[in-house]
Amino acid sequence: MDPNCRRREFLAGSGGVGVAGVAGCFAAPDAGRERGDSDSDSRSVAVVSQHHLATGAGLETLEAGGTAADAAVAVACALSVVEPWFSSALGGGTWALYYDAESNEVTSLDGVGPVGSDATPADYEDRAGDPGMHQSIVPGAWDGWMRWLERYGRLDLETVLSPAIDLARDGYPVSPGMEHWLEMRADRVEERPDAAAIYESDDGGDLVAEGDTIRQADMAETFEALADAYADRRSEGRTEAIRAARDHFYRGPIAEAIVEFSEAHDGYLTLSDFQDFEAEIVDPISIEYDDDLRVYQNPPNSQGITQLLALNVLKEYDLSGLDPDDADAVHVQVEALKLAFADRYHHVGDPDRVDVPVADLLDEGYAASQRDRIEMDTAMEWPIGSGLADSSSDAVDADHTTTFHVVDGDGNAAAVTTSLGAQFQVIGDTGIHINNRMRMLAVDDGDPNRLTPGYKVRHTSNPYMATRDGHPFVLGGNTGVDTQPQGQTQQFLHVAEFGLEAQAAIDRPRFVSTAFPSTQHPYDVEGTLQMEPEFPADVIEDLEDRGHEVEEGVGVFGTANMIVVGDDGDFQVGAESRSDTADGVVSRVDDD
């Protein structure tokens, strides 16, 4: 795969927001062909991600005979290299959904680690607004990915990691997005020697710029060490080999390096935090959207229930006759999302620490009572109480995530949102970029998301998967902290209610409500409705007449990617048209 080789296809986006398709220099997209036609000895596959090189890694893995799980891990690791401010398979956390075609089952991956044992609310509160190692939780993504490979994978770890290792060692060009984030975090890079060694040029110490080549030899060596740990135990069986790769991280030299760095930089992580941690494959939560559509989300401690709460309210409205940009359509979505976020605020945290009433929140009767609270001519304002009797608390710039999706030739499907935090904190000579997830923890007594050592943050990552008649229909995600459930709700409705194809659904202008406390410090309630500038002026005026405080073109609208599976099994891919690097591809892979 040539990291300098890309081509663009300019398509007509129904939202008028520009470039709609981007493809890298590998197998040409084949979206117009059905899975059963022509080549009986090949099968269609689809991959979409926020970077064409990561999409290429996923396609390469599928062509090598990998499953959707193998390809997802390959994409995640490649993104760790080329998009290291948004996610890291080594230093971040992951929530993901997987459809296993053989069992016809959807599962959820909880790859999120806990708060360090040495953390206390009193100590953290004094530093909550400052960047640094004290904001890092145990990185859970790697153990989660190993869980997926163990249950759903087929390839050896070296094959899965090979694209990421090659990209890290051989180098790749700086994208406009990387240049932008490096400029925003220039002060942090400058004061962190391990980050400066990667992101400052050799001649004069200036930050690398668009088109410059980045090489990350330390990260390549860390990936290679994990692959070697796997290979050393492969003769004992694949399960033992995967366990060795997990232990090398959490009970070996990687954990030791992270803890040593944490201790030297006033962090909270201990070796026992790593040794005791294991990711889990858990049951997802879901709602029936209509007779043949079911929407799946990740359970708490993910905020994924927020999207389901909104959709449970919205499903009884007749939206199909409206334009997606109609003021009524926007208003009712915004109000449903406000109610959903209020419930998230009042109830959702780590279920091992607080009682999250999932069944009550997703009850049809509760959705009906919430629906009754919406007035079509009036916008709700904070404080917004929960509709449940006993709230667990009193009412009183961020885009550090990436989302990607894979469908393999057997019909297995992976929907992934994985996150890091754009702080460019590099752990010594490991090349690992570590998360700053603790910025999303509260410190107030009674808050369901209160910082508690050994327990998990309410994690914002929450990809969704919709099935039709029990089989994958939509795999989607939208980044941007509190934007995620909002963008995903709009994205799903664009397809399910408004009949748009995948790319048009991604291109459509987005809105984001801030009528509730922000997830991250300092937890402000801005009380605005942020709208991309493509919305018609008369729609904005109508919404303002209903009481919405509209801000045009201001806000975090996130990046989104999706795959839609058509009635005949054909794939539609929607890649983020607001991005310089996003890429979706539909191709065919030969049967072995």
Side-chain angles (χ1 to χ4, degrees), residues 421-434:
Q423 66 165 347
F424 292 99
Q425 180 78 71
V426 180
I427 304 297
D429 61 2
T430 67
I432 293 174
H433 294 56
I434 198 76

Side-chain angles (χ1 to χ4, degrees), residues 248-260 270-271 274-275:
H248 183 85
F249 191 110
Y250 292 93
R251 297 155 193 89
I254 294 178
E256 292 168 1
I258 295 173
V259 169
E260 181 181 354
T270 69
L271 279 177
F274 283 81
Q275 292 165 353

Side-chain angles (χ1 to χ4, degrees), residues 345-361:
Y345 172 76
H346 290 298
H347 297 293
V348 178
D350 184 344
D352 286 340
R353 193 183 71 82
V354 296
D355 180 20
V356 184
V358 172
D360 292 338
L361 289 169

Side-chain angles (χ1 to χ4, degrees), residues 139-178:
W142 181 256
D143 203 59
W145 294 132
M146 294 304 98
R147 293 281 184 183
W148 260 19
L149 292 185
E150 182 178 3
R151 181 177 294 194
Y152 302 119
R154 183 182 298 150
L155 302 179
D156 284 333
L157 186 57
E158 181 181 5
T159 303
V160 173
L161 295 182
S162 178
I165 291 170
D166 290 345
L167 286 168
R169 191 172 300 285
D170 298 339
Y172 58 93
V174 174
S175 67
M178 176 176 280

Side-chain angles (χ1 to χ4, degrees), residues 51 53-54 74-85 87-90 161-173 178 198-199 214-217 219-220 223 431 433:
H51 201 291
L53 294 174
V75 172
C77 292
L79 287 170
S80 305
V81 181
V82 300
E83 201 186 57
W85 63 98
S87 69
S88 173
L90 301 172
L161 295 182
S162 178
I165 291 170
D166 290 345
L167 286 168
R169 191 172 300 285
D170 298 339
Y172 58 93
M178 176 176 280
I198 300 170
Y199 298 110
I214 291 279
R215 293 181 177 84
Q216 299 188 54
M219 191 184 297
F223 277 131
H433 294 56

Side-chain angles (χ1 to χ4, degrees), residues 119-127 268 442-445 450-453:
T120 65
D123 182 78
Y124 181 71
E125 185 173 13
D126 293 338
R127 302 191 281 163
Y268 300 126
V443 294
D444 297 333
D445 290 339
R450 188 174 190 264
L451 186 161
T452 307

